[in-house]
Amino acid sequence: METTLALDNFRRACDAGRGAVFFSVARGKVAEGIDFDRHYGRAVVMIGVPYQYTLSRVLRARLDYLRETFQIKESDYLAFDAIRQAAQCVGRVIRSKADYGLMVFADKRYQRHDKRDKLPKWF
């Protein structure tokens, strides 16, 4: 309910020409299910790298399975998943060929090859 109200207020401010700033958390409802196309999203700033909660039993089981079945290292999977999530979040602002927006990765860890090489090339 609070998220819906916040989004409605945000959209009304944008439609009225006042503009607005909307804060969200990676892996949350807004980061994955709602597009901020056109004038609703002209910039997104990703602060930090959205790693999963590593003490989750479900995640631990998945990591064990990947390691035992496919020899995928835990760190490789977690880095890939975090970068996929970051790309999903910043991609909320560009939803068509005619759309545009600024994407800022505000964390020096995105400069490292193990992170940057996993981002889509068009970023």
Side-chain angles (χ1 to χ4, degrees):
M1 185 65 158
E2 291 173 357
T3 302
T4 302
L5 179 60
L7 279 168
D8 287 345
N9 288 335
F10 172 80
R11 291 185 190 277
R12 269 198 298 280
C14 291
D15 290 341
R18 293 190 322 251
V21 175
F22 196 92
F23 291 93
S24 178
V25 176
R27 298 187 185 276
K29 183 189 303 185
V30 175
E32 294 187 8
I34 300 168
D35 292 336
F36 290 93
D37 57 341
R38 302 184 331 267
H39 65 291
Y40 296 122
R42 290 297 177 216
V44 63
V45 178
M46 174 61 72
I47 299 172
V49 180
Y51 285 104
Q52 288 192 48
Y53 176 65
T54 57
L55 298 180
S56 159
R57 289 190 346 219
V58 172
L59 178 60
R60 298 284 357 138
R62 180 178 296 140
L63 292 170
D64 290 344
Y65 173 78
L66 291 171
R67 184 182 59 253
E68 293 168 9
T69 308
F70 301 106
Q71 293 74 48
I72 295 174
K73 293 189 284 186
E74 179 177 315
S75 60
D76 290 343
Y77 174 79
L78 292 173
F80 172 80
D81 181 67
I83 296 303
R84 182 195 57 78
Q85 182 64 38
Q88 172 105 18
C89 289
V90 299
R92 298 284 108 200
V93 299
I94 299 178
R95 305 310 294 171
S96 73
K97 289 180 182 180
D99 214 352
Y100 64 92
L102 176 67
M103 300 174 187
V104 178
F105 291 89
D107 192 303
K108 66 181 178 181
R109 291 175 286 179
Y110 288 108
Q111 294 176 2
R112 294 180 11 197
H113 290 289
D114 67 321
K115 306 285 185 292
R116 190 174 57 222
D117 292 346
K118 290 177 177 68
L119 286 169
K121 300 299 179 217
W122 63 273
F123 274 18

